[in-house]
Every structure is written in C-alpha cells, then in structure tokens.
Amino acid sequence: ITSITPASGLLSGGSTITITGTNLTGATAVDFGTTAATSFTVVSNTEITATDQWDQEYSGQVDVSTSIGTAYGPNFNYSWGFCF
C-alpha cells in the first residue's frame, strides 16, 4: 500500500477511502485497525475503494489481505463530527 485517500474520516463511519498500491487484485479483506471495512471493491491491480464503519478507535493501520499475504498501509484516523 502506497497511500490512502482521505487519511481520516468521521467516527460515525461511512467514509469511502481509496487505497492505492500494487498487487491488490484478489483482495479478500480490508481492515481499518481491528475493524473490517463495511464493503470494498477492487477497482484494479493498483486501487481499492473501501467503506469504513463506526469504530471506537481513533486511528488504525489500513491492511489489505490477499492470497499472497497482507499489505500494511498508513493509519486511517477517525475524528469527531457532529450532525445537527
């Protein structure tokens, strides 16, 4: 994994994150810290889009599991946000 965009999202979840890297085809899981992505789509061998879910953690490393191993990326940070 070379980058994630954006690098943060609301604690309430629902953010769509683009993960870039190499050898991402065949991904079997995407995790934000210890929490699995709500859903993810392998766009290409170099890009995945994933949706985070609500979590109590304030940050966590983004991991992508494939049949050849697990790739570890930068942290995704959760932030407080309020809706009125």
Side-chain angles (χ1 to χ4, degrees):
I1 298 174
T2 55
S3 67
I4 59 170
T5 305
S8 64
L10 296 178
L11 193 62
S12 59
S15 299
T16 299
I17 293 88
T18 300
I19 302 165
T20 56
T22 57
N23 300 317
L24 300 176
T25 300
T28 57
V30 174
D31 296 313
F32 296 90
T34 59
T35 303
T38 302
S39 63
F40 69 92
T41 301
V42 177
V43 177
S44 69
N45 193 44
T46 60
E47 183 178 313
I48 292 175
T49 57
T51 303
D52 71 323
Q53 59 179 302
W54 179 86
D55 197 306
Q56 298 179 58
E57 296 181 8
Y58 297 106
S59 66
Q61 189 174 38
V62 176
D63 303 333
V64 175
S65 298
T66 69
S67 61
I68 60 173
T70 301
Y72 302 97
N75 277 1
F76 179 79
N77 297 303
Y78 294 96
S79 61
W80 289 98
F82 299 96
C83 297
F84 295 99

